[in-house]
């Protein structure tokens, strides 16, 4: 028995001598694979597209010239606008409704009166034209953009290209007041050591002065690809990106599409998709033991009561999204025909999305944050280009499939 036990012990140690290193090798290999897969860059396929009218031409290269562009207006355009403003019909608001039912029509009358009698579109066109505008044709459609270079660059300082992308219901105009701080920081009280940028602000195709796609399926991926092509056409191999709203989605995809070209990405809206059991548990426990699921005091303040702050507010504020993601052309035709309807539709978002408490104000709190000239200039960009319908279609194209 003693001899047999020694033989078994020897056989066991021999097996261990083989199994333990093999197991360690296997575990180590899996660990190395996991670590390497974590750092592996996953990219979105760039692809190609055609968004012009009809079939893509079989022969001939696309015109890659960059053409100066100028925003213009006419007496006929302004007269037509004034006539429509004068003939607007209003439904009286409910007493004490403020902005709970949408844009309050009593305040809307004041906005329209200012628009008709005091707003100077010609003057605002001059403001819009103070930066250089351009157009270039990419994938069959004309892409509009402004390109602002610094007038002075400190000695030895490299100028960094920065692409800034708007969303809905915004426009390239929303960047006008920050552009001088980016292109000439020293001239605006900022540190001379700050980075100096040259700024490119395109209009998303179908928005403002960028031509609308003529084909179905134009989504954020197609936009990201077109904007990469735009930056390459301008001679940039590496650049920074900034985006908000749809611009956030577009620039994030740009970084995932060509990470070697994107030196940095700044967002003021972040899309987060957290689903499943873990999310449900964290929501259930967060109100009682927030530290257990990693919530801060500020997180709790913003998240609870959960139904009121997440479900009810989402339902109240997302009706426009459902319309635009399903039947944009139906609602859009009314907005495209009525400047008053267009202003109410757009400016209601500037009220509620700026501050939720503005729902309780009769004027939507708009003039506490903005001036009417700036608000109406943004509305006018949609009006004079008849781009509200094509801008709304962007929701349908992006939500008909997983981007």
């Amino acid at each position: 028995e003693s001899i047999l036990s020694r033989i078994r012990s020897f056989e066991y140690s021999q097996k261990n001598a083989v199994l333990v290193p093999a197991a360690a090798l296997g575990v180590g290999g899996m660990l190395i694979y996991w670590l390497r897969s974590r750092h592996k860059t996953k990219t979105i396929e760039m692809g190609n597209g055609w968004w012009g009218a009809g079939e893509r031409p079989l022969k001939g290269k696309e015109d890659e010239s960059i053409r100066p562009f100028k925003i213009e207006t006419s007496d006929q355009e302004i007269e037509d606008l004034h006539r429509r403003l004068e003939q607007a019909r209003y439904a009286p608001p409910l007493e004490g409704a403020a902005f709970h039912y949408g844009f309050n029509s009593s305040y809307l009358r004041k906005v329209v009166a200012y628009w008709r009698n005091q707003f100077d579109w010609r003057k605002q066109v001059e403001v819009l034209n103070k930066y250089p505008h351009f157009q270039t044709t990419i994938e069959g459609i004309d892409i509009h953009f402004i390109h602002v270079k610094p007038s002075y660059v400190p000695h030895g300082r490299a100028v960094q290209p920065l692409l800034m992308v708007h969303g809905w219901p915004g426009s390239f105009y929303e960047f006008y007041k920050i552009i001088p701080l980016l292109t000439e920081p020293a001239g605006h009280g900022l540190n001379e050591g700050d980075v100096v940028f040259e700024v490119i602000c395109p209009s998303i195709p179908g928005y403002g002065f960028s031509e609308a796609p003529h084909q179905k399926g134009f989504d954020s991926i197609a936009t990201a690809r077109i904007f990469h092509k735009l930056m390459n056409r301008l001679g940039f191999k590496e650049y920074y990106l900034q985006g908000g709203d749809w611009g956030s989605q577009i620039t994030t995809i740009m970084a995932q599409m060509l990470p070697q070209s994107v030196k940095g990405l700044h967002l003021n809206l972040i899309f987060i998709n957290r689903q499943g059991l873990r999310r449900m548990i964290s929501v259930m426990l967060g109100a009682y033991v927030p530290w257990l699921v990693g919530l801060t005091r500020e997180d709790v303040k913003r998240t609870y009561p959960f139904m009121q702050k997440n479900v009810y507010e989402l339902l109240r504020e997302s009706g426009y999204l459902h319309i635009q993601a399903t039947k944009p052309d139906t609602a859009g035709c009314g907005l495209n025909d009525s400047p008053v309807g267009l202003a109410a539709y757009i400016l209601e978002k500037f009220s509620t999305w700026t501050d939720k408490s503005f729902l309780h104000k009769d004027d939507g709190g708009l003039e506490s944050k903005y001036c009417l000239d700036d608000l109406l200039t943004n509305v006018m960009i949609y009006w004079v280009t008849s781009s509200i319908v094509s801008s709304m279609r962007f929701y349908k194209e992006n939500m008909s499939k997983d981007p």
Side-chain angles (χ1 to χ4, degrees):
E1 287 179 1
S2 176
I3 292 169
L4 287 173
S5 67
R6 287 180 181 179
I7 291 170
R8 292 189 191 102
S9 176
F10 175 75
E11 288 174 345
Y12 182 73
S13 64
Q14 287 291 92
K15 286 180 180 177
N16 277 355
V18 175
L19 292 174
V20 171
L25 190 64
V27 171
M30 291 173 66
L31 183 61
I32 291 169
Y33 174 79
W34 179 70
L35 288 170
R36 290 192 66 180
S37 66
R38 281 180 68 206
H39 295 288
K40 185 179 179 182
T41 303
K42 296 178 181 178
T43 60
I44 291 176
E45 191 70 32
M46 188 157 178
N48 207 352
W50 170 259
W51 309 104
E55 298 291 326
R56 182 200 297 265
L58 296 176
K59 294 182 180 180
K61 191 178 180 183
E62 188 167 70
D63 178 11
E64 295 187 357
S65 65
I66 295 170
R67 307 174 294 275
F69 176 81
K70 188 176 182 180
I71 298 171
E72 297 177 336
T73 189
S74 66
D75 292 341
Q76 291 81 2
E77 185 175 69
I78 295 172
E79 288 167 6
D80 176 66
L81 171 69
H82 286 174
R83 178 180 59 80
R84 291 169 186 264
L85 294 177
E86 290 164 357
Q87 294 178 353
R89 298 192 305 171
Y90 302 88
L94 295 172
E95 294 180 9
F99 264 55
H100 286 278
Y101 285 71
F103 204 106
N104 187 290
S105 59
S106 293
Y107 179 61
L108 183 60
R109 286 177 180 270
K110 296 179 182 178
V111 172
V112 172
Y114 181 88
W115 196 359
R116 171 61 183 87
N117 301 312
Q118 292 172 264
F119 178 76
D120 189 342
W121 175 232
R122 286 189 180 87
K123 177 184 173 184
Q124 293 308 111
V125 165
E126 291 179 10
V127 172
L128 291 173
N129 283 326
K130 76 175 182 177
Y131 295 131
H133 292 249
F134 302 90
Q135 279 188 339
T136 189
T137 305
I138 304 177
E139 299 189 3
I141 53 177
D142 291 337
I143 306 301
H144 161 261
F145 62 98
I146 60 172
H147 187 178
V148 189
K149 299 179 181 180
S151 59
Y152 166 75
V153 181
H155 180 70
R157 186 70 46 79
V159 178
Q160 303 293 342
L162 170 64
L163 180 81
M164 305 184 77
V165 185
H166 65 88
W168 187 91
S171 65
F172 65 93
Y173 179 58
E174 67 195 50
F175 301 118
Y176 266 48
K177 291 181 181 179
I178 200 173
I179 286 174
L181 280 66
L182 297 167
T183 57
E184 299 174 3
H188 292 83
L190 300 175
N191 192 326
E192 282 199 8
D194 286 338
V195 178
V196 177
F197 291 100
E198 59 178 293
V199 178
I200 300 93
C201 300
S203 296
I204 297 171
Y207 288 68
F209 300 98
S210 277
E211 185 178 354
H214 298 268
Q215 312 293 334
K216 294 187 292 183
F218 186 87
D219 58 10
S220 295
I221 294 175
T223 312
R225 180 178 64 245
I226 282 178
F227 287 170
H228 271 308
K229 289 182 177 182
L230 171 64
M231 295 302 279
N232 289 328
R233 192 170 291 184
L234 292 171
F236 302 118
K237 299 302 178 188
E238 293 183 325
Y239 31 88
Y240 291 90
L241 305 176
Q242 194 281 329
D245 194 78
W246 279 125
S248 166
Q249 175 93 331
I250 292 162
T251 53
T252 298
I253 291 171
M254 289 179 73
Q256 295 167 333
M257 187 177 280
L258 290 179
Q260 68 273 20
S261 294
V262 178
K263 297 179 73 175
L265 171 66
H266 176 271
L267 307 173
N268 51 286
L269 173 67
I270 300 175
F271 293 92
I272 299 175
N273 186 20
R274 289 180 62 197
Q275 304 291 342
L277 185 62
R278 181 183 171 190
R279 168 70 170 161
M280 190 183 300
I281 291 172
S282 68
V283 166
M284 290 169 63
L285 297 178
Y288 306 102
V289 281
W291 50 269
L292 190 63
V293 292
L295 295 182
T296 65
R297 189 174 296 175
E298 181 64 20
D299 293 331
V300 172
K301 179 182 171 184
R302 288 173 176 266
T303 306
Y304 300 96
F306 185 82
M307 292 297 288
Q308 180 181 330
K309 291 193 174 181
N310 295 271
V311 180
Y312 299 157
E313 284 187 2
L314 182 66
L315 289 173
R316 185 187 69 210
E317 298 299 335
S318 61
Y320 83 99
L321 187 151
H322 194 91
I323 290 171
Q324 295 177 192
T326 52
K327 301 291 179 67
D329 287 32
T330 304
C333 67
L335 302 177
N336 193 52
D337 188 60
S338 167
V340 175
L342 180 67
Y345 196 73
I346 288 178
L347 297 186
E348 184 248 304
K349 301 307 176 194
F350 275 80
S351 167
T352 308
W353 292 353
T354 298
D355 191 324
K356 293 175 183 177
S357 70
F358 286 175
L359 278 170
H360 310 300
K361 297 179 178 291
D362 290 338
D363 63 356
L366 280 168
E367 292 180 72
S368 66
K369 292 291 184 180
Y370 309 100
C371 72
L372 286 179
D373 280 348
D374 284 342
L375 291 171
L376 291 171
T377 297
N378 185 67
V379 173
M380 284 294 290
I381 289 170
Y382 282 85
W383 176 254
V384 299
T385 59
S386 293
S387 60
I388 188 62
V389 176
S390 51
S391 74
M392 292 163 68
R393 287 176 186 154
F394 202 58
Y395 283 77
K396 184 172 179 65
E397 303 294 14
N398 278 290
M399 297 184 186
S400 60
K401 55 185 180 296
D402 183 358

